[in-house]
Amino acid sequence: MIIDTDASDHSAEQAFRRYELNGAYDEMFHTVDHPRKQYRQLYAQLLTLGAGELRRSKQEADQSFFNQGITFNVYGSEKGTERIFPHDLLPRIITAAEWEIIERGLTQRITALNLFLQDVYHEAKILEDGVVPGNIVYSCKHYRREMRGIKVPRNVYVTVVGTDLIRNPAGNFVVLEDNLRVPSGVSYMLTSRRVMKQIFPALFRKCRVRPIEQYSQALLSTLRSLAPEGRSEPTVVLLTPGAYNSAYFEHAYLARQMGIELVEGRDLLVHDNVVYMRTTFGLQRVDVIYRRIDDDYLDPLVFEHDSALGAVGLFNAYRAGNIAFANALGTGVADDKAIYSYVPKMIRYYLNQDPILENVETLLMSDSAQRDHVCQKLDQYVVKAVGGSGGYGMLIGPHSTQQERAEMRQRILAEPRNYVAQPTINLSTAPCFVDGTIEPRHVDLRPYVLYGENITIVPGGLTRVALRKGSLVVNSSQGGGSKDTWVLQN
Amino acid sequence: MLSRVADSLYWMSRNFERADHAARVLEATYGLILNPAKVSTEERWFRAVSSLAPGVASNGLNPQLSLFLLVADLEGSFSIVKCISEARENARQVREEISSEMWEQLNRMFHEINSAELQADDDAGAMRLVGLVREGSYRFHGITDTTMNHDEGWHFIQLGEYIERACNLSILLDAYFSVGKRANDLDWMGLLTSCTAFEAYCKACTAELKPERIADFILLKPEFPYSVRYSVDRMHDALTSIGNLSLSRRTGKIDRLIGRLRSTVAYVQIGDVIRGDFHRYLTGIIDQCRDLHAAVHEVYIDYPIEVAFET
């Protein structure tokens, strides 16, 4: 291995020579050369390391990811379908005070969202009181009529949540999206921490970073707390679509970390409304399913009839109270991007509190005045499909072409309920090690919330990075990567 | 252990053993055709092809083409490349069950032979792949035995390996002995080399190549790892361990079948079987292996629900 020891690398001017602040909130710097307090240790370290050393660390990190098999599958390519997840070497740092707000804000928000789900699948009071319009709920693709009146364990619908936060130019965290169906990425949070500890051990000690390693234990006890009554030693399984799914690594990783079986639909069978898995010992009863499959594919009797990913009869077992799903079915109605715009009202309605974390201003295309306004100024807005995820089918106005805007306009007019628009927000930037220098890139933050007997949020999350210069899209399917996220002790 | 996982491990092992066996036979047979002999080249190829790829019409197939087909053909289900790909695919489904060293070794082998892009007339290239598989296989077996818990999953791997080996050896013996009268010493050396048995045979029986002794060695020798008897004994060990672990009350049929198979290879005199209907004796072993496979599948992998609910 060639080690670059060029002395000229060892200066602040060199390491940060291409670091330009562009008006976004920068996570590291107040102004150029004036790092924020929480970043001073890292800054000092970076000045002493130099580009050669950083490059070596980067190689070491990549190799470590590769050896551990931390990969995701790329759809549609025959050979070499596994790639390592792009990872940036420099940690993103969050202070104790900032984290305290995030933690309170998320707890408040998830509590309200859960109450909303409980409500819309039972009395639907919030609709009756006119706080959220009924037509928006009932026209949502992810609203599940089948869930009406079904009691879910502990009345918890959203067990595992990954909420996407961004920091606006004023420096405040706001909520961009709630992911209440099957959020992924937590394995990258956990494995990248392990790699970072190998690479920056001294920095960890100096900065006093709060641990996140307890996530798997917390997840397991959260899942166990959902077990049907009378099942004191519940069997928990993780249901995966299989080795061809892009998140298969994560499914296998979490199953191993929790010591539970990784099952596929064909391993399960339902008899007299009880779910079993087929083992060499015989049939073994299953009590809780952490499912990483969308509602649509869980039970061909009730949902998509030609799906082979789930198992026949699961829904009846669920209705009979013999099995718990995490997350519950039908939670997609609450992360619909049109319904998202009503979350602050839900918080006031159910909890009688002011929201701690604000929403991003969101215009509903089903509203004719807002639609007309947006359609005229598409170049200033981000337009998203209400049920979309992974950054697919999204228009970023300022970076779009005339033709893309025309196409989007047509799609909006054809299906107004299916779209929302948000003003383009300059996501905050954080330092990234790119091509031998340190440059700012836009980032967001996805903390993971667990909700069972109580709400647990491990201090950290997945910081996603738009690795392409100037890009605002952080999704891994669109050229995004990740960073380790350090929440500091008080 | 999940039934699907056990099944994947079993098939990973069978597919791997099939590739390994094909590599051994091709190496031995390729050496043979370089010698002029009474038995014509075509007949030797017929022998190899019919033992490795049953049902494939090989009359009139030229040696080079059949070598290519047996090594690198992706269409048929018999080629070495195909078997390794299948084994890797089986392993991929259960990556959490096998050790990461096993996965890495299998994955590396797959990429090595898959990236070779062999031409149909490239004998030397084909034999290089065969060599890679032979070397890789020793490593894979070593890694499997030293890095994985010898628990239920490992026993399913053992079962797959030895059931495949018992069948392959029986088919190979049948192919050689069906032309027995016209075979010469070189042919018998080919048979022994195909089973990595030449040196072991010489040690036990001297270099005098007598068909009956060779048959005795490859069929009935309990100490030699590439004998049918040894394979059946290991199948018995694996099935006993699996039965003890799973506490299943439904292993009666498996116990009877493996017991009968053992007595078929343990309590016979080679003279009797070879002078009797040897072909029938050998196909009898293969049929018994097939029944055993079906019984294992029925008891551990794909049992009817009604049976599972019986108390």
Side-chain angles (χ1 to χ4, degrees):
Chain A
M1 186 180 287
I2 300 162
I3 301 171
D4 189 349
T5 49
D6 189 352
S8 67
D9 280 345
H10 289 245
S11 67
E13 296 77 39
Q14 276 301 318
F16 290 95
R17 71 177 187 277
R18 287 166 72 181
Y19 208 93
E20 291 160 7
L21 301 179
N22 68 356
Y25 181 91
D26 190 81
E27 298 286 335
M28 188 172 195
F29 292 101
H30 288 290
T31 54
V32 176
D33 295 340
H34 287 90
R36 298 177 194 279
K37 191 166 165 241
Q38 67 269 29
Y39 276 94
R40 279 180 201 154
Q41 308 267 17
L42 177 68
Y43 184 69
Q45 179 99 1
L46 290 176
L47 295 187
T48 57
L49 281 178
E53 186 77 8
L54 281 174
R55 208 172 292 137
R56 209 162 53 96
S57 300
K58 168 80 178 143
Q59 272 172 6
E60 199 184 312
D62 284 350
Q63 191 62 43
S64 177
F65 278 112
F66 191 76
N67 290 346
Q68 290 179 63
I70 301 167
T71 53
F72 67 97
N73 298 346
V74 185
Y75 290 125
S77 65
E78 182 81 8
K79 271 191 182 176
T81 48
E82 290 156 45
R83 283 199 207 143
I84 67 164
F85 193 63
H87 173 260
D88 182 67
L89 198 59
L90 309 180
R92 189 258 188 93
I93 302 176
I94 293 171
T95 64
E98 287 169 339
W99 183 255
E100 197 265 337
I101 297 172
I102 292 174
E103 201 170 18
R104 275 195 301 126
L106 287 176
T107 305
Q108 177 195 54
R109 191 174 177 97
I110 302 309
T111 309
L113 282 165
N114 198 62
L115 288 169
F116 171 73
L117 284 161
Q118 160 80 8
D119 194 11
V120 295
Y121 288 121
H122 290 84
E123 298 90 348
K125 284 202 206 101
I126 196 168
L127 310 182
E128 204 172 291
D129 291 342
V131 179
V132 176
N135 63 356
I136 271 200
V137 171
Y138 296 129
S139 63
C140 173
K141 240 191 329 202
H142 297 289
Y143 177 80
R144 301 279 173 214
R145 236 166 9 93
E146 298 84 350
M147 286 296 289
R148 285 296 292 269
I150 291 185
K151 167 149 174 43
V152 304
R154 292 186 186 274
N155 294 324
V156 172
Y157 284 79
V158 286
T159 308
V160 183
V161 180
T163 301
D164 291 341
L165 303 174
I166 57 174
R167 208 201 279 258
N168 62 21
N172 298 318
F173 282 101
V174 295
V175 177
L176 186 65
E177 276 179 24
D178 303 289
N179 295 292
L180 307 177
R181 283 170 280 165
V182 282
S184 63
V186 76
S187 60
Y188 300 123
M189 167 180 98
L190 296 170
T191 48
S192 101
R193 172 62 57 92
R194 214 168 56 203
V195 171
M196 290 291 279
K197 277 190 166 169
Q198 289 162 9
I199 292 177
F200 293 120
L203 203 53
F204 261 95
R205 214 171 311 117
K206 270 190 244 160
C207 290
R208 294 163 53 79
V209 182
R210 293 180 64 186
I212 55 169
E213 285 81 355
Q214 68 280 22
Y215 179 84
S216 307
Q217 285 71 38
L219 176 58
L220 181 62
S221 58
T222 302
L223 292 169
R224 287 171 63 108
S225 76
L226 299 178
E229 252 170 75
R231 305 288 297 166
S232 56
E233 277 303 315
T235 302
V236 182
V237 300
L238 193 155
L239 176 60
T240 173
Y244 297 99
N245 186 267
S246 65
Y248 181 70
F249 165 75
E250 176 157 309
H251 305 161
Y253 179 84
L254 287 175
R256 190 182 45 195
Q257 291 286 309
M258 289 191 280
I260 64 175
E261 290 288 357
L262 178 66
V263 304
E264 296 181 16
R266 55 194 161 128
D267 298 324
L268 298 178
L269 66 90
V270 183
H271 184 79
D272 279 348
N273 287 341
V274 175
V275 182
Y276 299 91
M277 59 180 168
R278 205 181 260 285
T279 77
T280 51
F281 291 39
L283 297 182
Q284 187 182 345
R285 184 165 171 174
V286 175
D287 303 295
V288 181
I289 299 181
Y290 177 31
R291 48 106 176 192
R292 299 293 300 257
I293 296 182
D294 283 336
D295 293 359
D296 284 333
Y297 307 112
L298 272 178
D299 184 349
L301 280 186
V302 187
F303 305 110
E304 292 288 323
H305 299 309
D306 53 358
S307 164
L309 297 177
V312 172
L314 278 184
F315 193 73
N316 272 343
Y318 188 46
R319 194 151 34 199
N322 289 334
I323 187 91
F325 281 120
N327 292 348
L329 280 79
T331 53
V333 67
D335 71 9
D336 179 281
K337 292 184 178 73
I339 286 171
Y340 155 90
S341 65
Y342 291 95
V343 175
K345 285 183 179 160
M346 288 175 203
I347 294 173
R348 291 196 182 90
Y349 180 81
Y350 292 115
L351 307 175
N352 202 18
Q353 295 171 356
D354 285 328
I356 298 164
L357 294 170
E358 295 288 340
N359 260 13
V360 173
E361 181 197 353
T362 300
L363 304 174
L364 305 184
M365 296 301 92
S366 50
D367 178 297
S368 64
Q370 297 183 358
R371 179 170 67 236
D372 292 345
H373 172 79
V374 170
C375 279
Q376 280 164 21
K377 297 179 176 172
L378 266 181
D379 59 335
Q380 295 169 20
Y381 285 94
V382 174
V383 183
K384 298 170 174 176
V386 289
S389 63
Y392 291 104
M394 183 162 90
L395 177 89
I396 302 203
H399 298 173
S400 63
T401 64
Q402 185 82 35
Q403 195 194 345
E404 284 167 341
R405 289 197 291 275
E407 281 168 14
M408 182 49 91
R409 197 171 291 122
Q410 280 187 347
R411 271 187 275 157
I412 292 173
L413 295 176
E415 272 187 290
R417 165 65 179 88
N418 203 26
Y419 292 94
V420 295
Q422 295 171 336
T424 313
I425 301 167
N426 215 357
L427 309 183
S428 61
T429 53
C432 293
F433 184 65
V434 187
D435 299 333
T437 57
I438 296 166
E439 294 181 35
R441 291 286 185 269
H442 293 290
V443 296
D444 77 351
L445 174 65
R446 177 182 284 185
Y448 293 90
V449 186
L450 298 173
Y451 190 169
E453 205 168 350
N454 34 49
I455 291 181
T456 315
I457 311 176
V458 290
L462 188 67
T463 290
R464 299 188 298 173
V465 192
L467 287 170
R468 277 197 289 268
K469 188 171 186 163
S471 168
L472 292 167
V473 188
V474 295
N475 304 84
S476 59
S477 48
Q478 320 269 320
S482 77
K483 286 170 160 295
D484 195 14
T485 308
W486 294 5
V487 175
L488 304 187
Q489 205 110 36
N490 217 337
Chain B
M1 164 168 281
L2 283 176
S3 299
R4 172 180 53 84
V5 171
D7 197 41
S8 291
L9 292 173
Y10 172 82
W11 277 110
M12 172 192 79
S13 181
R14 280 198 79 154
N15 281 316
F16 193 86
E17 176 65 23
R18 196 173 289 181
D20 193 13
H21 174 78
R24 261 182 276 116
V25 171
L26 288 176
E27 218 165 44
T29 321
Y30 186 73
L32 271 184
I33 58 163
L34 299 179
N35 296 314
K38 267 187 278 177
V39 178
S40 69
T41 316
E42 283 70 26
E43 193 167 346
R44 286 190 178 123
W45 277 108
F46 179 73
R47 211 181 289 161
V49 174
S50 65
S51 80
L52 294 178
V56 172
S58 55
N59 266 331
L61 210 59
N62 81 49
Q64 262 175 353
L65 187 59
S66 54
L67 180 62
F68 173 73
L69 289 179
L70 288 170
V71 172
D73 180 29
L74 286 173
E75 304 301 318
S77 57
F78 301 107
S79 76
I80 291 179
V81 173
K82 182 83 178 173
C83 287
I84 294 288
S85 311
E86 293 280 323
R88 174 181 179 267
E89 201 48 44
N90 294 133
R92 209 163 96 86
Q93 310 281 340
V94 291
R95 261 179 78 172
E96 297 313 296
E97 288 296 326
I98 60 176
S99 68
S100 37
E101 289 88 349
M102 283 167 73
W103 166 251
E104 276 167 31
Q105 169 62 15
L106 194 49
N107 201 32
R108 199 177 316 128
M109 268 179 85
F110 167 77
H111 285 300
E112 273 173 5
I113 64 174
N114 210 38
S115 60
E117 303 203 342
L118 200 62
Q119 300 301 314
D121 56 355
D122 183 7
D123 280 25
M127 293 318 292
R128 211 164 34 243
L129 285 193
V130 166
L132 278 177
V133 172
R134 301 259 286 110
E135 285 299 316
S137 133
Y138 292 132
R139 269 200 296 275
F140 184 69
H141 284 126
I143 289 170
T144 302
D145 288 352
T146 51
T147 62
M148 195 179 168
N149 270 333
H150 288 202
D151 58 9
E152 203 182 359
W154 186 79
H155 291 304
F156 272 101
I157 290 177
Q158 292 287 102
L159 181 64
E161 178 179 337
Y162 286 106
I163 206 169
E164 183 68 29
R165 187 174 298 171
C167 290
N168 289 335
L169 289 173
S170 304
I171 295 170
L172 187 68
L173 279 169
D174 198 20
Y176 269 89
F177 277 86
S178 63
V179 291
K181 293 228 170 61
R182 282 170 292 128
N184 60 20
D185 274 5
L186 285 177
D187 292 319
W188 295 123
M189 278 177 71
L191 171 61
L192 285 168
T193 319
S194 296
C195 309
T196 13
F198 185 68
E199 286 181 19
Y201 172 86
C202 291
K203 265 205 180 102
C205 316
T206 74
E208 193 184 358
L209 298 175
K210 287 197 168 160
E212 192 171 311
R213 270 194 211 158
I214 293 171
D216 187 41
F217 195 82
I218 295 174
L219 198 55
L220 305 180
K221 184 89 175 156
E223 294 87 13
F224 184 63
Y226 280 98
S227 76
V228 178
R229 168 73 194 275
Y230 182 90
S231 304
V232 171
D233 286 349
R234 296 293 84 71
M235 283 158 66
H236 173 260
D237 294 348
L239 287 168
T240 309
S241 304
I242 293 168
N244 290 341
L245 281 169
S246 74
L247 307 169
S248 175
R249 289 169 298 273
R250 297 174 285 118
T251 58
K253 188 175 179 188
I254 294 177
D255 293 343
R256 283 193 297 278
L257 286 170
I258 186 68
R260 189 167 61 133
L261 180 56
R262 280 189 93 194
S263 69
T264 306
V265 291
Y267 304 118
V268 289
Q269 293 293 336
I270 192 65
D272 298 343
V273 290
I274 215 164
R275 275 185 292 277
D277 190 342
F278 195 37
H279 170 72
R280 194 151 157 209
Y281 175 78
L282 291 169
T283 46
I285 292 175
I286 297 164
D287 288 344
Q288 288 190 52
C289 286
R290 198 170 295 144
D291 291 346
L292 203 52
H293 164 87
V296 167
H297 197 75
E298 192 185 303
V299 170
Y300 293 113
I301 311 296
D302 198 13
Y303 42 82
I305 309 179
E306 305 79 53
V307 177
F309 282 108
E310 275 169 17
T311 46

